[in-house]
Amino acid sequence: MEGIRDFDIVKELLKTKQYTSLRQKMAEMNAADIAVVLEEMDEEDLLKVFRILPKNMAADVFSYLEVDSQQFIITSLSEKDAAGIIDNLMADDATDLLEEMPANVVKKLLANANPDTRRDINHLLRYPEDSAGSIMTVEYVDLKENMTVEDAISRIRKVGMDSETINICYVLDAKRTLVGTVALRYLLISPGDAVIGDIMHENVIFINTMMDQEEVARQFQKYDFTAMPVVDNENRLVGIITVDDVVDILQEEATEDMEKMAAIVPSDKPYMKTSVIETWKKRMPWLLLLMISAAFTGSILTTFEDALMAYGVLIAYIPMLMDTGGNAGGQASVTIIRGLSLNEIEFKDGFRVLWKEMRVALLCGITLSAANFVKLLLLDKVGLPVALVVCLTLVAAVLIAKVVGCMLPMLAKKIGFDPAVMASPFITTIVDVLSLLVYFQIATHLLHIA
């Protein structure tokens, strides 16, 4: 409700041209809340309000905006004003923005940015996408071993405003090799003449620049840190990653996995800002592939056309068998994919996972078959042979689905694919084909269909 009230107030002040009051109102608001208000406005009003923002707030508000809004503002401002925004952003945020912009715009912005900003951005742009190096920030507090606590505090006062965090300071030697860390609270309670080398923590946990961002998130989860240093192959400190970046990574990775599991090509844009054509392009490739693969089920039905003609009642239970198999496979695949993403399961655990899922499948299959057997005889009034065919197929379908659902994601990860690709839609198609084959093989033998 607070966000709606702020939006109405800002719109009214803008409409009545009370710009001084509007500026005062926004000075009292949090930068993230202002960004929410701006996102609700049309482009013309968004730009007007952004220009009215106090200069010390503009960069903070800008960093909370969606990429589309950021690009609109940057391209609407003069080159000098746009470069000023870039200069006031943290280097990692500025890099993320520039990666999404046309090359000619990036060239102009960097040409007008100050040399330090330009150097930091160019440094971050060297690293592969989704690596630790690409998401780190180069704004941190570094100290020397031979500094005193008093010297260290003076340095924090000097560079702290431009640093991502001052809670943890990083101790470097003459070659900029990371040799330790010291928390701000230790500096505050230590004597002014104490030497940093004597009070620093030497057992430092760090991240390599080439580490995948998903593994970075796992490291934060494992150690419960709010910031971690990033080093190159020679253990020289080149940046830090903070927990707010990790929250963004987790959201991005979770969204990507969900889209892959639903057979959608991942997108970086929010749903409401993705056009119909873009959405179509993201969904069609997998739909085409799954449609083609589903054609196998039609081929199987054609092959066993005689059996269907002789026992037409068998047709009625095909949807139930296929749906149950698909659901069972989906349960197994989602569980295994989640375990793989959290490093709870590894490929070497394959036999243990398979044995466990087979036992679960038998229990589930027998339970479902028992319930279905009663229904077939009492409600559907089918003969005992047909009931046996359906129930035996149900056990087999659940068993096949669980095995396929647990093994395909593990095999995918082993050969370098994202396990999420092997989620429900893909597994369902495989299970449907195998279940139909088993169904008609059992029917052929038990019902003596030639």
Side-chain angles (χ1 to χ4, degrees):
M1 294 299 294
E2 184 66 29
I4 296 174
R5 188 161 62 250
D6 288 338
F7 175 76
D8 292 338
I9 292 172
V10 170
K11 283 287 290 184
E12 181 62 27
L13 292 174
L14 183 64
K15 182 179 179 180
T16 56
K17 299 183 179 181
Q18 299 181 55
Y19 299 132
T20 301
S21 299
L22 177 58
R23 186 183 179 91
Q24 291 173 348
K25 167 64 179 174
M26 290 190 294
E28 299 169 358
M29 294 172 62
N30 183 276
D33 293 331
I34 296 175
V36 171
V37 171
L38 293 181
E39 289 290 352
E40 295 295 320
M41 296 182 168
D42 57 43
E43 290 184 341
E44 183 179 351
D45 288 344
L46 182 152
L47 192 59
K48 284 182 181 178
V49 175
F50 188 82
R51 289 181 185 276
I52 295 170
L53 282 172
K55 286 187 177 181
N56 62 333
M57 292 187 68
D60 287 340
V61 172
F62 185 88
S63 66
Y64 286 107
L65 292 172
E66 298 288 349
V67 173
D68 289 346
S69 299
Q70 290 179 335
Q71 290 183 358
F72 169 72
I73 290 172
I74 286 294
T75 53
S76 300
L77 296 175
S78 67
E79 291 180 5
K80 182 178 179 181
D81 289 341
I85 295 292
I86 299 297
D87 286 337
N88 286 301
L89 288 173
M90 289 296 175
D92 55 337
D93 292 331
T95 304
D96 289 342
L97 170 64
L98 295 180
E99 283 180 331
E100 301 291 334
M101 302 197 71
N104 60 323
V105 177
V106 173
K107 186 176 180 180
K108 290 179 181 179
L109 289 173
L110 290 179
N112 287 278
N114 69 50
D116 289 340
T117 300
R118 189 161 56 246
R119 182 198 66 228
D120 292 342
I121 291 174
N122 286 330
H123 175 71
L124 292 175
L125 288 172
R126 296 183 316 181
Y127 296 103
E129 186 179 3
D130 296 337
S131 67
S134 70
I135 59 173
M136 70 183 181
T137 183
V138 293
E139 289 102 348
Y140 55 85
V141 178
D142 59 315
L143 306 174
K144 301 296 183 184
E145 291 181 87
N146 58 0
M147 279 184 173
T148 63
V149 168
E150 187 175 349
D151 294 334
I153 292 176
S154 296
R155 176 161 178 76
I156 292 172
R157 289 184 178 134
K158 181 180 178 182
V159 303
M161 285 297 295
D162 296 322
S163 300
E164 184 84 9
T165 179
I166 62 172
N167 293 333
I168 300 292
C169 302
Y170 302 92
V171 185
L172 311 178
D173 63 14
K175 295 181 179 179
R176 296 195 63 79
T177 302
L178 181 63
V179 295
T181 61
V182 59
L184 179 62
R185 65 175 180 269
Y186 290 123
L187 295 176
L188 294 177
I189 64 176
S190 298
D193 58 354
V195 178
I196 296 298
D198 295 334
I199 65 172
M200 71 180 184
H201 179 68
E202 297 182 24
N203 185 22
V204 184
I205 305 296
F206 56 81
I207 292 169
N208 185 271
T209 52
M210 304 305 292
M211 181 181 289
D212 184 82
Q213 65 176 18
E214 199 167 357
E215 181 59 30
V216 171
R218 292 194 192 101
Q219 294 298 309
F220 270 83
Q221 183 183 31
K222 178 179 180 181
Y223 295 107
D224 288 331
F225 288 159
T226 57
M228 291 185 75
V230 182
V231 302
D232 60 17
N233 292 331
E234 298 177 1
N235 284 346
R236 291 176 301 193
L237 183 66
V238 291
I240 64 170
I241 295 176
T242 50
V243 71
D244 59 314
D245 297 315
V246 173
V247 172
D248 293 337
I249 292 170
L250 292 173
Q251 178 178 327
E252 178 185 327
E253 293 290 342
T255 301
E256 182 179 314
D257 285 346
M258 289 172 64
E259 289 176 329
K260 286 181 178 178
M261 291 169 70
I264 301 173
V265 178
S267 173
D268 295 330
K269 291 184 178 180
Y271 176 79
M272 295 304 294
K273 294 195 174 183
T274 306
S275 69
V276 172
I277 298 299
E278 287 177 305
T279 303
W280 168 75
K281 288 179 180 179
K282 298 295 183 183
R283 297 183 184 182
M284 275 311 301
W286 271 106
L287 287 176
L288 284 171
L289 177 61
L290 293 173
M291 182 185 71
I292 294 170
S293 62
F296 288 110
T297 59
S299 300
I300 295 170
L301 290 172
T302 302
T303 303
F304 290 93
E305 187 174 359
D306 291 341
L308 293 174
M309 292 294 291
Y311 282 87
V313 69
L314 295 176
I315 299 174
Y317 301 106
I318 290 176
M320 182 272 293
L321 292 170
M322 294 173 69
D323 288 347
T324 303
N327 292 336
Q331 287 179 334
S333 67
V334 169
T335 304
I336 299 305
I337 290 168
R338 186 59 179 164
L340 290 169
S341 68
L342 296 176
N343 278 349
E344 296 174 350
I345 300 172
E346 298 179 8
F347 187 76
K348 65 181 181 181
D349 301 318
F351 287 110
R352 292 173 58 198
V353 171
L354 181 60
W355 175 232
K356 181 175 182 177
E357 287 296 329
M358 288 178 67
R359 287 178 291 169
V360 172
L362 286 173
L363 290 173
C364 292
I366 291 170
T367 304
L368 292 170
S369 295
N372 204 43
F373 189 75
V374 174
K375 170 184 173 292
L376 289 167
L377 295 180
L378 298 183
L379 298 181
D380 296 349
K381 307 293 185 181
V382 301
L384 182 61
V386 172
L388 286 174
V389 168
V390 174
C391 292
L392 287 174
T393 304
L394 192 55
V395 174
V398 172
L399 179 60
I400 291 169
K402 295 290 188 186
V403 170
V404 173
C406 73
M407 294 310 296
L408 272 186
M410 298 184 72
L411 289 172
K413 185 166 186 178
K414 180 64 176 178
I415 61 179
F417 288 111
D418 190 329
V421 174
M422 299 296 177
S424 297
F426 197 72
I427 289 172
T428 298
T429 302
I430 297 174
V431 171
D432 287 349
V433 171
L434 295 177
S435 297
L436 280 177
L437 286 172
V438 171
Y439 187 35
F440 289 119
Q441 287 297 328
I442 294 176
T444 300
H445 287 86
L446 289 185
L447 301 179
H448 305 292
I449 300 172

